[in-house]
Amino acid sequence: MSRTETDTHFMQRCIELAQQSLEKGDAPFGSLVARGDELIAEGINDSVRRVSEHAEIIALNAAHQSLGRSDLSDCTLYTSCEPCPMCSFMIREYKIGRVVFALHSPFMGGYTKWKILQDQGLEKFPPFFRTVPEIVPGFMEEESKKIMENTPFWMFGKDPIKPE
């Protein structure tokens, strides 16, 4: 598969995971970690049970366990929504090489608002952080936004859905 085909395939899976999360009564977020065309780990939100169990963190921890290492610089994290600050720090600590996200999060995003995913100053603290990951923002944003339309999560996307 080409990079675009791979990105589309994995983002579609993230959107499916977000729908599963919503159906189980949690926030509609899905994430996965891949190495090239290989799926390493995936996660859906479990924040109803434990507030820190965001889809990205679940996927990152599962990838760490699966690969037996915390340097995931050869991996891509795909997620249905821009990672929050907590998830963004985890992405940086796991040294993810590339992040592809669908929906922007202008109010809570670790890329758009808080700039953690693009903070070059963190590189001064090896071995905890590595270089800034490649970021692919807004990939399949419209497809991911469809899940949000019938939820109270109005604040995501380049043109966030406004509350009534």
Side-chain angles (χ1 to χ4, degrees), residues 24 26-27 29 44-58 61 84-87 90 108 153:
K24 80 170 187 95
D26 213 310
F29 304 115
I44 63 173
N45 250 44
D46 195 17
S47 62
V48 168
R49 186 179 62 82
R50 185 180 305 158
V51 72
S52 62
E53 295 295 291
H54 290 196
E56 295 92 338
I57 290 174
I58 292 169
N61 287 336
C84 74
M86 176 179 66
C87 294
M90 291 291 292
M108 288 300 298
F153 298 95

Side-chain angles (χ1 to χ4, degrees), residues 3 7 11 31-32 56 60 75-79 81-83 87-88 91-92 95-102 111 117 132-139:
R3 186 177 234 190
D7 290 345
M11 186 56 70
S31 186
L32 64 83
E56 295 92 338
L60 288 165
C75 295
T76 298
L77 177 111
Y78 292 87
T79 188
C81 187
E82 178 179 343
C87 294
S88 295
I91 290 165
R92 294 297 303 271
K95 302 165 188 69
I96 288 286
R98 185 168 177 258
V99 177
V100 180
F101 68 83
Y111 177 73
L117 292 176
V132 170
E134 176 189 347
I135 305 293
V136 180
F139 187 77

Side-chain angles (χ1 to χ4, degrees), residues 9-23 29-31 42-44 80 144 147:
H9 171 76
F10 285 134
M11 186 56 70
Q12 183 59 49
R13 179 63 184 149
C14 287
I15 293 168
E16 292 167 5
L17 291 168
Q19 183 64 45
Q20 287 176 19
S21 183
L22 183 64
E23 289 169 1
F29 304 115
S31 186
E42 57 186 30
I44 63 173
S80 60
S144 188
I147 294 173

